[in-house]
Amino acid sequence: MMRERGGKLFSLLALSSAAVLAAGGATADRGAGGMSDEDKIEYRKAVYKVIGVNFKPMGAMVKGKIDYDPELFARNAQRVADVSEMALEGFRGGPHQGNTESLDAIWEEWADYRQGTERFQEQAQELASAAQGGAEWPQLKKQFIQVADTCKSCHDDYRED
Amino acid sequence: MMRERGGKLFSLLALSSAAVLAAGGATADRGAGGMSDEDKIEYRKAVYKVIGVNFKPMGAMVKGKIDYDPELFARNAQRVADVSEMALEGFRGGPHQGNTESLDAIWEEWADYRQGTERFQEQAQELASAAQGGAEWPQLKKQFIQVADTCKSCHDDYRED
């Protein structure tokens, strides 16, 4: 469901971008589809920075380094799920020239990369739903690890070490 | 309401941070409260980058540079509202040393800066609610300008030119 929704939204974004290009709008007013390479790189880095900062305290709770705080965990899980919807946008139409650790394999194996992102989005949404729904801590820890595994999988294959 | 919720969440974050510090957790596992100066700067830049990229196409629609796309507008309005909840976190406990355009006035006039951020959050939430609720385009344009005004107000006072 998430996947279909994502697909629809990306189509909308592509349409919007085409409209911008057709209208010859100024760069500053273009949507993600009409962004420069550097802008796309900055955008995707920003998206993952926001995800990472909110992911970390959850990881610390799962590892037992800080006390489990149900409200903070649920809030951050929702944030990660929300922002994960933007995770693919800055990668579209690459490779892009600039300061990036992204490997060209992303675009050479685009279908696989997209599916990996969609798995991340789905698992993150499941974690958010479980946390918002008051699931028990052992179940949340298990689901958190499912999300973390989707991160690791793509990082191993598609990011410079 | 947004303000109260934000206040509660920030208190939770502060508590979590205190717990991390008490536990002596590794830097990589700390929440926003325990981040280094550079990490905080990167986080707040990322938050505003994500907001900016999603804000732009709405601005282009309001200016008539691209066609009004209700679904894209509503989606992006919700994104801006969601991410605006993180807008103050990376500024807490400053000024921070690093690559930043933030003026020290932010921390010298913290109550004013915080109120400005809360106005932004409130107006962004109103825009998202209106757009998700199917409000008419003239009303959305008017509300979009309310949000943009809250951006401009803080940029004028608290960001290097």
Side-chain angles (χ1 to χ4, degrees), chain A residues 5 8-10 12-13 15-16 19-21 23 25-32 35 38-39 42-43 45-47 49-50 53-54 56-57 59-61 63 65-67 69 71-72 75-76 79 82-83 85-86 89, chain B residues 5 8-10 12-13 15-16 19-21 23 25-32 35 38-39 42-43 45-47 49-50 53-54 56-57 59-61 63 65-67 69 71-72 75-76 79 82-83 85-86 89:
Chain A
R5 193 181 160 208
K8 192 176 177 195
L9 293 172
F10 288 131
L12 281 165
L13 197 64
L15 275 173
S16 166
V20 175
L21 292 171
T27 302
D29 293 317
R30 282 179 188 161
M35 289 163 70
E38 275 293 359
D39 280 346
E42 277 185 35
Y43 179 45
K45 281 184 176 177
V47 165
K49 181 76 186 175
V50 171
V53 167
N54 285 285
K56 265 184 195 170
M61 291 180 207
K63 290 176 187 166
K65 294 192 176 181
I66 59 173
D67 287 343
D69 175 334
E71 196 161 349
L72 186 66
R75 184 201 70 170
N76 282 22
R79 288 178 169 189
D82 288 343
V83 178
E85 291 194 28
M86 313 175 201
E89 294 166 4
Chain B
R5 192 178 163 212
K8 192 176 178 195
L9 293 172
F10 289 130
L12 281 166
L13 197 64
L15 276 174
S16 168
V20 175
L21 292 172
T27 301
D29 294 317
R30 282 179 188 163
M35 289 164 70
E38 275 294 359
D39 279 347
E42 276 185 36
Y43 179 45
K45 281 184 177 178
V47 164
K49 181 77 186 173
V50 171
V53 167
N54 285 285
K56 265 184 195 170
M61 291 181 205
K63 290 177 189 167
K65 294 192 176 182
I66 61 172
D67 288 342
D69 176 333
E71 197 161 349
L72 185 65
R75 184 201 69 170
N76 282 22
R79 287 178 169 189
D82 288 344
V83 179
E85 291 194 30
M86 312 175 202
E89 294 167 4

Side-chain angles (χ1 to χ4, degrees), chain B residues 20-136:
Chain B
V20 175
L21 292 172
T27 301
D29 294 317
R30 282 179 188 163
M35 289 164 70
S36 71
D37 280 18
E38 275 294 359
D39 279 347
K40 283 192 180 178
I41 291 169
E42 276 185 36
Y43 179 45
R44 67 200 194 206
K45 281 184 177 178
V47 164
Y48 273 107
K49 181 77 186 173
V50 171
I51 289 171
V53 167
N54 285 285
F55 201 68
K56 265 184 195 170
M58 293 194 286
M61 291 181 205
V62 169
K63 290 177 189 167
K65 294 192 176 182
I66 61 172
D67 288 342
Y68 171 50
D69 176 333
E71 197 161 349
L72 185 65
F73 192 95
R75 184 201 69 170
N76 282 22
Q78 189 62 56
R79 287 178 169 189
V80 169
D82 288 344
V83 179
S84 79
E85 291 194 30
M86 312 175 202
L88 202 61
E89 294 167 4
F91 289 97
R92 293 193 168 264
H96 309 102
Q97 300 303 310
N99 180 17
T100 175
E101 294 170 353
S102 299
L103 298 178
D104 284 358
I106 289 173
W107 296 277
E108 290 159 7
E109 299 158 25
W110 180 253
D112 182 66
Y113 187 76
R114 190 184 59 223
Q115 281 166 20
T117 303
E118 288 166 352
R119 274 194 297 275
F120 163 51
Q121 292 165 334
E122 287 158 4
Q123 295 299 329
Q125 192 57 59
E126 277 198 31
L127 180 64
S129 299
Q132 298 285 345
E136 294 296 320

